[in-house]
Amino acid sequence: NQLTEKAMKEIIKIDGLTKKFGKTTALNGFNMHIREGEIHGFLGPNGAGKSTTIRIILGLLKKSSGQAELFSDDPWKNSVSLHSRLAYVPGEVSFWQNLTGGEIIDLLAETHGGISESRLKNLLAKFELDPSKKFRSYSKGNRQKVALVAALAADVELYIFDEPTSGLDPLMEEVFQNEVRDLKKSGKTILLSSHI
């Protein structure tokens, strides 16, 4: 059955992952498997190694030992090609201060081959984000919205959100949760990291 094969396809495969920073062990034999079409909650207290794991998945950090695969490939060796298949929102959002929110969204969209203008317009309205303002003038919540809108507007296979609702009010958190549910309905894979 083709549907069963698709449901079984592993997007992220981590086995026995270890990461050491000098004498400090950030990850010690960590395992995680995420299949296509899943929303995977990655929960744990601050300092548990969630962001370190995500950085290894993204090819931004080299693992000390173990296995970490993204789309059945090595993220450390092939991060550039793999990044075109995913959208990532970090816990701390920092972009170019002199660009507008809209300019930043456009720049990020280019890394995914563009975005649907109607989808972008819809997301800007839902998140109540004015894209004409300079990034430096945004509140923490609006800075987070820029990153979320850019990621959610991308038509990719995998969405990685690291503390995505940091700075958002409860109404905007609900908007984000609804968008994630819609992504799942369309067969997308979501890794959602949080200490809450």
Side-chain angles (χ1 to χ4, degrees), residues 22 30 43 55 72 80 86 104 112 138 159 168 171 173 183:
F30 180 69
L43 304 174
R55 289 183 184 117
S72 301
V80 174
L86 64 87
I104 291 167
H112 304 295
Y138 285 132
Y159 298 81
L168 294 186
L171 289 175
E173 281 189 39
L183 289 174

Side-chain angles (χ1 to χ4, degrees), residues 4-183:
T4 305
E5 283 178 29
K6 186 175 182 179
M8 297 304 290
K9 182 179 171 187
E10 287 186 323
I11 301 297
I12 295 172
K13 183 179 179 181
I14 296 174
D15 288 307
L17 185 63
T18 300
K19 177 61 184 172
K20 295 183 179 192
F21 296 98
K23 292 182 180 185
T24 303
T25 301
L27 296 169
N28 188 11
F30 180 69
N31 301 306
M32 178 169 64
H33 292 233
I34 302 175
R35 288 179 173 74
E36 187 173 42
E38 288 183 342
I39 296 176
H40 189 93
F42 192 20
L43 304 174
N46 288 332
K50 298 182 304 295
S51 294
T52 298
T53 302
I54 289 171
R55 289 183 184 117
I56 291 170
I57 292 167
L58 293 171
L60 303 173
L61 273 179
K62 192 171 186 177
K63 67 186 183 209
S64 299
S65 65
Q67 180 184 20
E69 289 183 4
L70 178 61
F71 299 111
S72 301
D73 205 344
D74 183 338
W76 181 252
K77 292 179 181 172
N78 299 308
S79 65
V80 174
S81 63
L82 293 172
H83 281 218
S84 66
R85 300 172 70 182
L86 64 87
Y88 166 59
V89 176
E92 290 294 318
V93 174
S94 181
F95 290 121
W96 306 272
Q97 298 294 309
N98 290 325
L99 295 182
T100 66
E103 289 168 334
I104 291 167
I105 291 167
D106 289 344
L107 276 171
L108 294 173
E110 287 179 27
T111 65
H112 304 295
I115 53 176
S116 156
E117 286 302 317
S118 61
R119 172 105 173 109
L120 175 59
K121 217 177 229 183
N122 185 302
L123 286 166
L124 289 170
K126 284 181 180 179
F127 281 98
E128 300 173 5
L129 180 67
D130 179 353
S132 66
K133 292 185 176 180
K134 297 278 187 192
F135 188 77
R136 68 173 169 261
S137 71
Y138 285 132
S139 65
K140 178 176 173 44
N142 282 332
R143 289 175 184 218
Q144 195 70 20
K145 289 179 190 180
V146 170
L148 288 172
V149 167
L152 291 166
D155 184 16
V156 292
E157 297 166 68
L158 172 65
Y159 298 81
I160 299 176
F161 300 107
D162 191 1
E163 303 290 347
T165 57
S166 174
L168 294 186
D169 64 49
L171 289 175
M172 291 299 115
E173 281 189 39
E174 188 176 340
V175 169
F176 171 73
Q177 290 167 3
N178 289 335
E179 289 300 316
V180 167
R181 284 186 197 98
D182 288 346
L183 289 174

